[in-house]
Amino acid sequence: MKNTPVQLHVITRIVAFIILAFSVFLFFAGHNNPGGGFIGGLMTAAALVLLYLSFDLKTIKRVIPFNYSKIIGAGLLIAILTGIVGMLFGFPFLTQFDEYYHIPLLGETHAASALPFDLGIYLVVVGFTLLVILTVAEDDS
Amino acid sequence: MSTLHLVALAPFIMAIFIPFFYFKFRHIHTGWFILPLPLILFIYLIQYLPLGGGPMETVERSVPWVPSLDIHFTVFLDGLSLLFALLITGIGTLVVLYSIYYIANKKEEPLNNFYVYLMMFMGAMLGVVLSDNLIVIYVFWELTSLASSLLIAYWFHKEKSRYGAQKSMLITVTGGFAMLAGFSLLYMMTGTFSIREIITYGDAIVTSPLFLPAMILILLGAFTKSAQFPFHIWLPDAMEAPTPVSAYLHSATMVKAGIYLVARFTPVFGGAPEWFWIITGFGLFTLLWGSVSAVRQKDLKGILAFSTVSQLGLIMSLLGLGSAAVHFDVVDGQSLYTVAVLAAVLHLINHATFKGSLFMVVGIIDHETGTRDIRKLGGLMTIMPVTFTISLIGIASMAGLPPFNGFLSKEMFFTGTLNSTTLDIFNVQTLGVIFPAVAWIASIFTFVYCMIMLFKTFTGKHHPERLEKEAHEAPAGMLISPVILASLVIIFGFFPNLLAYTIIDPAMQSILPGLLEPGEQFYVNIYHWHGLNTELFMTMGVVFFGSMIFLNLRKWQETTFYLKERDPLNWFYDSGLVGLIKGSTVVNDVQMTGRLRDYFTYMFTFLVLGMGYMLWNTGALAVDMANTADISIYMYIITLSLVLATVVIPFVSSRISAIVLMGVIGFLVALLFVVFRAPDLALTQLLVETVMVVLFLLVFYHLPELKKETFKPAFRLTNLVISIGVGLVVTLTALSAHALSYENPISPISDYFVENAYALAGGNNIVNVILVDFRGLDTLLEVLVLGIVGLAVVVLIKFKAKKGEDV
Amino acid sequence: MEILMILTVGVLFTVATYMILSKSMLRVIIGVVILSHGAHLLFLTLSGLKQGAPPLLGEEASAYTDPLPQALILTAIVIGFGITAFMLVLAYRTYKAHKTDNLDELRGTEDE
């Protein structure tokens, strides 16, 4: 592009990372407030798509060298493995566990095996969205 | 799971390892690995025979399969099943041994396929005869049809093999399906799938209006499998299979499954006049038809095929005659009609021995000379002396000559038919004389084709120039199996009472239960010389007239009857098949136009008519204006905008406006989710809509503008009518559902989730807890779908077809 | 409010059906998208628009709206997203290969 839209780049840089940060927050908030793997994943994907839109494909590829089909695979694997872990202890597939701990300074902390499962979903959603959009976009050029 | 279950399953387990044997030990014939299995099973089963005298102990072992549907894999071993199981494993051993020499271990012979199919058949057949549950029997029954069809098509590069395989498949599977319907009717009458329990219902079945339909449907299964007229046409075409298969499936075991079924159900249906008439009638007619058709065959295997058809008819008719026995008292362990059942069981064994050996002999002749055509063969007596001896024994037995075992059962068959002339039930009085007459005529033709087989092959002038190979005696290994069978023919001929109380009486006990006091046995004494009675004169007549016809065969040879080899009934099958294919093509052409619009039209029209009819018919149509939530003013604004945006869409012809409108609709829906207190949904919808717009932009960039539709006005009107219909039906259904849900309130199942979200899953966001915890599997599968779609997209775009390939 | 929503859904279904019946592949895709919107809204409406709090236990309300339909719809939205994406790419590929998006012209020949 000859006329690099400087304003767009500057704003995108800031906004994209705010969105990314917010998407991480949404992902973790999921268990108790609106959010979760689907929503967090979609928002992360939206932030990344914004980056791809304002910069060009090659630049971002250099910055984020992920293979999205592998991310889908990793996500599925994590989701299935969390289910299988329960099976090892004699529970049905995909039984989730949770516990509240009281850690000094941090206060009440919640650990649930639903979180890694949600992480799997998150990864699949991110991977899928970007994979589809990038595959189509790359085919153009 | 008991050892008996393992007997039926062992061949299947064996089949799993066959490819391993085949590919790992390529230089050893795979058959050697298979051979021990049927032998071990045979030896194992022998120990159930009541060798020490006294009645046989029945064995029953059950494993639940689908208990909720009353389907249990129950193994039940009584005389009848033991008889068949011994036949299957015994003949199976000999056939495997024979096949090792018959099918050479060459590169182009897929031996692994052959033995996998053979094991599949053996296991399925054992399953049929060993199980007590009708559904299990049905499953195994169809498996035998499948295995048989696969084996017929073993040399699938031959057109005739494929034809034969398809024919046997179509006919036997159709019959099997009818049988399943019959089983279901039995279940409706009795409420159980267990045969032994069904037998105890007795009169309840006989008086039921479903009695006759159930009987006919089950007999359809039995008749198609056992090649009874007019379904016998598949058997001659099944002769395209390798000869060991013909000997095993299409003569000794599978075709007798129908006999087994009839014998098994005699305690249920036997005693009804319809049962007597149908089975005896069809059996005798098949006997006659088969023997007459066999005379005009030129192919040795063709003769044997029709001979098998006719012999199966013989056994079938004996079972039919024997079913009358339930109406008569048994004195000293026998009555006039138990003789027929006795003859049926005896002939079943005899047929397996002599027909098995004859098939193997024909296989040897085919193998060593390259042809089975009796017009080319001749004078093999001196060249193949061992083969000739075996054939002589087998053919003499088949013709019913003393001192071989075939004579014994043929005499008893005559006795059975003669006894029926004195039968005073079922309106037999005047017609009774038909039975012995038909039997006698059929026996004459049986004698004739036996003579043809023997003399045309082994006597006369040898013509080496007509044969593809130079004829010589078969290798010793190939002769073992037929020699064993021929020896059995002689042994059973001289000492028939070896079988009497070991297997024949137990089998009769299961066919005719309840006739004897407990502990009593049927009187089984088989001997050659009955004095100068009618039966003996009948046999003499058979020999005399048979020889006369054979000696005058030359005069017959030019007649059209003799020249037409193919069974005329094939016409019905062939034209039926052609008609079926044509009909399907017509329907297919009308319905499957390849136009997406047509398919959607079918679906939508059906939806509108079906739902509309149900709404109208059940009187569910209702509108409830009272129980509604309040409407705030912004709701009107949102819905109005939504409706507007939607209605405009069909009229838009620019891509960008279409995308914008889609976005508007998506965001308005998200707004509605907010109003309806679904924050997660609103967020998801917003984000999906955002990403989707990007995707739409990317793709639309390349696609053409949305051109004006060029439908004819009539089409456009149809579309309009259908869409308004769909909208209307959906609206009315929703309105009625809404109204009715207030009349009959249902407590939502989600109360459980609300109450337990925190206690069980430790989360406050119930929707999220449902997604990741309560219904985690749904979510897992959902992301799996996303993964698959992602892969599909990559494949669609990245893997382009090479030049010239269609996309 | 239910009646109003049901009528709106009826309009969505009508337009969606009309679009699906057209010849252009793009219109069909748009139709499917609208159809799924309609289905989601219908589902939510019929589950009862009772005025409870959002299904977040943190709200500590006495009554919540039914969470189960929401969970199902959320699944449906994401699956719908996947399917739409696939159809779009399919349309894109087909157009690149055959230079048309007219479904009538895309019919196979007789022998296929």
Side-chain angles (χ1 to χ4, degrees):
Chain A
M1 259 184 254
K2 272 176 194 167
N3 296 329
T4 319
V6 183
Q7 300 93 324
L8 182 64
H9 279 191
V10 172
I11 293 173
T12 308
R13 266 178 215 167
I14 300 166
V15 171
F17 286 99
I18 293 175
I19 303 177
L20 271 181
F22 187 59
S23 74
V24 175
F25 165 76
L26 274 179
F27 167 68
F28 281 108
H31 221 47
N32 290 316
N33 291 299
F38 282 121
I39 296 169
L42 280 167
M43 191 161 271
T44 308
L48 292 177
V49 168
L50 182 62
L51 282 178
Y52 281 108
L53 281 179
S54 52
F55 297 90
D56 59 317
L57 273 177
K58 277 180 192 152
T59 322
I60 302 298
K61 272 222 156 164
R62 226 177 299 130
V63 183
I64 319 169
F66 290 138
N67 181 341
Y68 291 107
S69 43
K70 280 187 185 151
I71 290 187
I72 296 183
L76 278 175
L77 212 60
I78 292 174
I80 292 170
L81 281 181
T82 46
I84 290 177
V85 168
M87 280 171 87
L88 293 181
F89 297 102
F91 293 96
F93 183 58
L94 278 175
T95 310
Q96 311 285 20
F97 306 93
D98 76 294
E99 196 62 65
Y100 281 85
Y101 300 103
H102 195 80
I103 299 173
L105 295 178
L106 285 174
E108 193 90 354
T109 318
H110 180 208
S113 71
L115 196 67
F117 182 74
D118 226 7
L119 179 67
I121 298 171
Y122 172 87
L123 289 178
V124 174
V125 172
V126 172
F128 166 75
T129 314
L130 287 166
L131 183 68
V132 172
I133 289 183
L134 290 189
T135 317
V136 178
E138 275 171 15
D139 193 52
D140 295 352
S141 44
Chain B
M1 192 63 88
S2 66
T3 332
L4 274 177
H5 283 96
L6 211 58
V7 168
L9 296 179
F12 290 109
I13 299 167
M14 187 63 162
I16 299 174
F17 294 103
I18 287 174
F20 168 75
F21 292 136
Y22 179 71
F23 290 109
K24 203 75 187 170
F25 305 101
R26 197 62 196 79
H27 54 286
I28 306 174
H29 198 286
T30 319
W32 291 114
F33 297 103
I34 316 293
L35 188 59
L37 181 74
L39 190 62
I40 291 169
L41 293 180
F42 181 73
I43 293 168
Y44 173 77
L45 285 167
I46 277 189
Q47 57 152 333
Y48 284 98
L49 285 174
L51 295 174
M56 184 192 155
E57 302 280 328
T58 56
V59 188
E60 186 185 355
R61 300 272 183 281
S62 189
V63 173
W65 184 24
V66 193
S68 54
L69 295 177
D70 188 30
I71 298 174
H72 306 272
F73 187 5
T74 306
V75 170
F76 180 67
L77 190 74
D78 62 354
L80 189 63
S81 9
L82 186 59
L83 168 66
F84 274 88
L86 284 172
L87 272 182
I88 295 160
T89 51
I91 307 277
T93 311
L94 298 176
V95 161
V96 171
L97 178 65
Y98 178 77
S99 71
I100 293 172
Y101 292 93
Y102 187 81
I103 306 181
N105 188 13
K106 278 186 274 177
K107 209 170 181 185
E108 63 270 17
E109 295 284 2
L111 281 177
N112 51 340
N113 291 357
F114 179 78
Y115 285 110
V116 166
Y117 302 155
L118 202 68
M119 285 298 108
M120 182 168 130
F121 166 75
M122 192 184 284
M125 192 66 206
L126 282 171
V128 168
V129 299
L130 286 179
S131 32
D132 177 57
N133 192 285
L134 291 176
I135 298 296
V136 178
I137 288 185
Y138 171 73
V139 170
F140 282 122
W141 181 278
E142 296 293 39
L143 264 181
T144 62
S145 298
L146 182 66
S148 149
S149 177
L150 285 169
L151 281 167
I152 296 169
Y154 173 65
W155 286 312
F156 54 83
H157 46 86
K158 288 199 285 183
E159 162 82 47
K160 276 182 143 184
S161 296
R162 296 198 300 271
Y163 172 79
Q166 189 192 33
K167 196 174 189 177
S168 82
M169 186 82 174
L170 284 177
I171 293 180
T172 52
V173 168
T174 311
F177 209 59
M179 187 182 81
L180 179 65
F183 287 172
S184 312
L185 290 182
L186 270 183
Y187 182 76
M188 284 167 70
M189 285 185 264
T190 60
T192 174
F193 279 123
S194 160
I195 297 178
R196 278 175 331 101
E197 282 175 34
I198 289 173
I199 290 172
T200 60
Y201 277 83
D203 284 342
I205 302 175
V206 178
T207 51
S208 164
L210 295 176
F211 177 76
L212 199 60
M215 188 178 96
I216 290 172
L217 286 169
I218 290 176
L219 281 181
L220 263 177
F223 281 3
T224 47
K225 200 76 160 183
S226 279
Q228 297 298 295
F229 183 89
F231 307 112
H232 65 278
I233 48 170
W234 68 267
L235 194 57
D237 285 305
M239 291 299 132
E240 289 303 319
T243 305
V245 172
S246 312
Y248 189 33
L249 272 72
H250 304 128
S251 147
T253 55
M254 189 188 84
V255 286
K256 297 214 172 97
I259 309 258
Y260 171 79
L261 199 72
V262 168
R264 212 8 122 215
F265 277 97
T266 302
V268 180
F269 297 113
E274 296 91 346
W275 180 263
F276 175 87
W277 277 111
I278 293 177
I279 295 180
T280 315
F282 274 92
L284 277 176
F285 195 75
T286 310
L287 166 67
L288 185 63
W289 185 276
S291 59
V292 172
S293 304
V295 171
R296 55 184 186 184
Q297 297 303 307
K298 316 294 183 295
D299 179 358
L300 281 176
K301 269 180 110 176
I303 300 179
L304 285 182
F306 277 106
S307 151
T308 306
V309 168
S310 94
Q311 304 274 331
L312 289 169
L314 188 153
I315 303 175
M316 201 61 102
S317 64
L318 279 172
L319 284 175
L321 291 171
S323 74
V326 296
H327 289 286
F328 296 91
D329 289 330
V330 175
V331 184
D332 291 336
Q334 64 174 341
S335 73
L336 278 179
Y337 305 101
T338 56
V339 174
V341 178
L342 172 59
V345 176
L346 183 63
H347 197 69
L348 191 78
I349 304 170
N350 294 343
H351 180 247
T353 55
F354 69 69
K355 194 54 74 59
S357 70
L358 283 177
F359 263 110
M360 288 180 184
V361 161
V362 168
I364 289 173
I365 294 170
D366 188 13
H367 203 260
E368 304 305 331
T369 64
T371 183
R372 301 190 304 247
D373 194 324
I374 50 171
R375 285 165 298 196
K376 293 181 186 169
L377 291 165
L380 291 177
M381 186 159 55
T382 48
I383 303 167
M384 308 169 84
V386 184
T387 312
F388 168 68
T389 317
I390 302 168
S391 312
L392 188 64
I393 296 167
I395 288 173
S397 180
M398 181 157 77
L401 297 178
F404 304 106
N405 58 4
F407 171 72
L408 299 168
S409 39
K410 187 62 81 59
E411 288 287 277
M412 269 189 209
F413 169 55
F414 286 148
T415 315
T417 50
L418 285 172
N419 286 348
S420 69
T421 51
T422 59
L423 197 64
D424 51 3
I425 50 168
F426 304 155
N427 307 321
V428 180
Q429 293 88 339
T430 46
L431 296 167
V433 73
I434 293 176
F435 296 148
V438 171
W440 189 69
I441 296 170
S443 297
I444 294 176
F445 281 100
T446 307
F447 189 82
V448 173
Y449 70 68
C450 287
M451 294 300 106
I452 293 176
M453 238 188 116
L454 187 69
F455 290 111
K456 296 269 176 185
T457 315
F458 291 101
T459 62
K461 206 169 154 1
H462 182 52
H463 298 281
E465 73 282 357
R466 293 189 197 163
L467 306 177
E468 287 170 26
K469 296 178 187 170
E470 197 185 336
H472 53 80
E473 187 56 273
M478 211 167 177
L479 288 167
I480 298 174
S481 299
V483 164
I484 291 176
L485 284 172
S487 323
L488 285 177
V489 169
I490 301 175
I491 293 171
F492 292 157
F494 281 106
F495 310 105
N497 289 321
L498 277 180
L499 301 167
Y501 288 100
T502 47
I503 188 69
I504 294 179
D505 166 65
M508 284 174 74
Q509 301 260 13
S510 13
I511 301 173
L512 299 169
L515 278 184
L516 298 177
E517 299 295 315
E520 221 183 332
Q521 285 183 299
F522 282 102
Y523 175 74
V524 187
N525 190 11
I526 311 159
Y527 47 95
H528 281 273
W529 182 250
H530 295 83
L532 284 173
N533 55 9
T534 328
E535 290 90 326
L536 193 65
F537 286 119
M538 281 170 87
T539 305
M540 288 177 180
V542 165
V543 174
F544 176 73
F545 285 104
S547 310
M548 290 302 288
I549 295 178
F550 178 68
L551 291 174
N552 293 312
L553 206 58
R554 262 171 215 290
K555 293 175 193 163
W556 290 67
Q557 268 171 358
E558 298 309 314
T559 57
T560 45
F561 166 80
Y562 188 77
L563 291 174
K564 267 193 183 164
E565 251 181 272
R566 247 175 103 69
D567 200 302
L569 284 172
N570 279 311
W571 180 85
F572 290 100
Y573 171 80
D574 292 337
S575 53
L577 197 64
V578 170
L580 188 69
I581 292 170
K582 267 190 190 157
S584 316
T585 318
V586 169
V587 171
N588 191 52
D589 286 349
V590 170
Q591 201 192 353
M592 294 288 148
T593 54
R595 285 193 188 85
L596 194 64
R597 179 184 169 273
D598 291 351
Y599 303 151
F600 276 120
T601 311
Y602 303 147
M603 286 189 245
F604 285 131
T605 313
F606 186 77
L607 178 93
V608 170
L609 294 180
M611 294 268 281
Y613 174 76
M614 283 310 283
L615 271 181
W616 180 258
N617 200 35
T618 55
L621 216 52
V623 182
D624 180 11
M625 305 294 282
N627 296 303
T628 52
D630 301 328
I631 310 176
S632 36
I633 184 75
Y634 58 83
M635 270 303 290
Y636 282 116
I637 300 173
I638 297 175
T639 43
L640 197 66
S641 328
L642 185 59
V643 167
L644 270 179
T646 315
V647 171
V648 173
I649 281 216
F651 304 101
V652 168
S653 58
S654 114
R655 292 173 302 196
I656 285 295
S657 0
I659 296 173
V660 169
L661 277 171
M662 296 275 293
V664 167
I665 294 173
F667 286 121
L668 283 171
V669 170
L671 209 54
L672 281 173
F673 287 149
V674 174
V675 175
F676 297 147
R677 298 198 174 33
D680 285 274
L681 286 188
L683 270 174
T684 316
Q685 181 67 47
L686 275 176
L687 289 165
V688 163
E689 214 50 53
T690 314
V691 178
M692 196 91 94
V693 165
V694 176
L695 195 60
F696 263 99
L697 276 172
L698 265 177
V699 171
F700 275 31
Y701 177 73
H702 296 278
L703 291 178
E705 285 286 351
L706 296 164
K707 279 184 234 101
K708 270 266 173 217
E709 292 284 82
T710 49
F711 279 127
K712 290 180 202 142
F715 267 176
R716 189 184 294 276
L717 193 68
T718 324
N719 288 359
L720 200 65
V721 169
I722 292 174
S723 17
I724 289 176
V726 170
L728 209 63
V729 162
V730 168
T731 314
L732 288 177
T733 314
L735 281 174
S736 316
H738 169 68
L740 292 174
S741 74
Y742 279 94
E743 279 172 31
N744 318 294
I746 322 157
S747 64
I749 52 171
S750 51
D751 286 348
Y752 170 81
F753 298 127
V754 177
E755 280 157 25
N756 292 301
Y758 193 78
L760 290 179
N764 281 324
N765 182 353
I766 309 172
V767 174
N768 185 265
V769 165
I770 292 176
L771 282 177
V772 298
D773 198 328
F774 292 129
R775 310 288 313 160
L777 193 61
D778 298 359
T779 313
L780 183 63
L781 293 177
E782 180 197 353
V783 291
L784 194 65
V785 170
L786 283 190
I788 293 169
V789 171
L791 273 181
V793 165
V794 173
V795 170
L796 265 177
I797 301 226
K798 292 259 165 90
F799 292 79
K800 292 190 180 140
K802 291 189 195 99
K803 232 182 175 176
E805 270 182 10
D806 198 6
V807 181
Chain C
M1 187 146 67
E2 279 87 347
I3 307 285
L4 178 68
M5 280 311 298
I6 288 171
L7 292 178
T8 314
V9 167
V11 174
L12 284 181
F13 267 87
T14 312
V15 173
T17 313
Y18 188 79
M19 295 296 277
I20 287 176
L21 286 173
S22 59
K23 275 194 253 179
S24 146
M25 210 189 279
L26 284 177
R27 284 177 193 269
V28 174
I29 296 173
I30 294 174
V32 173
V33 173
I34 297 176
L35 194 71
S36 55
H37 281 322
H40 299 158
L41 285 178
L42 182 63
F43 196 4
L44 202 61
T45 308
L46 286 182
S47 76
L49 299 174
K50 58 181 173 191
Q51 299 290 317
L56 303 166
L57 292 174
E59 300 276 313
E60 288 177 355
S62 55
Y64 299 100
T65 49
D66 199 338
L68 190 61
Q70 295 194 15
L72 292 177
I73 294 169
L74 202 146
T75 313
I77 292 175
V78 178
I79 287 275
F81 168 52
I83 299 303
T84 315
F86 179 72
M87 285 195 299
L88 276 173
V89 175
L90 193 64
Y92 165 73
R93 267 307 285 161
T94 317
Y95 183 70
K96 280 223 146 177
H98 296 289
K99 295 292 165 218
T100 176
D101 84 325
N102 187 327
L103 285 164
D104 276 5
E105 289 168 26
L106 287 170
R107 283 174 69 204
T109 45
E110 279 304 312
D111 53 73
E112 263 180 353

